[in-house]
Amino acid sequence: MFDRVREGWARLLHSPRGQARSAAGGRSGDGGGAAGRPGTAGRRAPNLFEAAAAYVSARVEDDQEGIDEAAGWVTPEALSFGTSELACRAVVALARERDESPRTVARALLGLPNG
């Protein structure tokens, strides 16, 4: 299911309309990033999954500069989708590792009682 969503986003981003938006100054990582991070001069713009990974990592490390930078790479809607996708994948991976249901793992991560 997620492969279809990812393929749809890839088609949209590589379509002439999506490329025109990026060229017109869309919020998709037009440079200005710190060294070693996506979006720096001469590199391609980061996709929403790269932005989500950088954003969540910065949040965990309490790095406000990294949070602000990653948030500027893509639209707020794309960042929201990417972080949601990351959360889903993390819960599924933990559920498999713990041999528990995703619901049980999600509730445990949030400190909720099993119910």
Side-chain angles (χ1 to χ4, degrees), residues 45-110:
N47 67 33
L48 67 101
F49 296 113
E50 290 170 328
Y55 180 81
V56 170
S57 298
R59 291 280 312 259
V60 169
E61 296 168 355
D62 199 25
D63 174 13
Q64 187 62 47
E65 184 177 316
I67 292 168
D68 295 340
E69 181 180 349
W73 292 344
V74 295
T75 65
E77 295 83 7
L79 185 60
S80 177
F81 175 81
T83 55
S84 176
E85 178 71 12
L86 180 59
C88 290
R89 291 181 186 198
V91 168
V92 168
L94 279 173
R96 288 179 181 158
E97 185 178 294
R98 296 178 180 181
D99 197 27
E100 296 177 350
S101 73
R103 177 184 169 91
T104 301
V105 170
R107 292 183 66 83
L109 288 171
L110 294 172

Side-chain angles (χ1 to χ4, degrees), residues 29-44 46 65-66 68-70 72-73:
D30 56 353
R37 290 192 173 159
T40 57
R43 297 181 68 183
R44 66 174 178 72
E65 184 177 316
D68 295 340
E69 181 180 349
W73 292 344

Side-chain angles (χ1 to χ4, degrees), residues 17-31 45 72-75:
R17 184 176 183 179
Q19 290 174 350
R21 178 177 176 198
S22 293
R27 294 184 60 195
S28 58
D30 56 353
W73 292 344
V74 295
T75 65

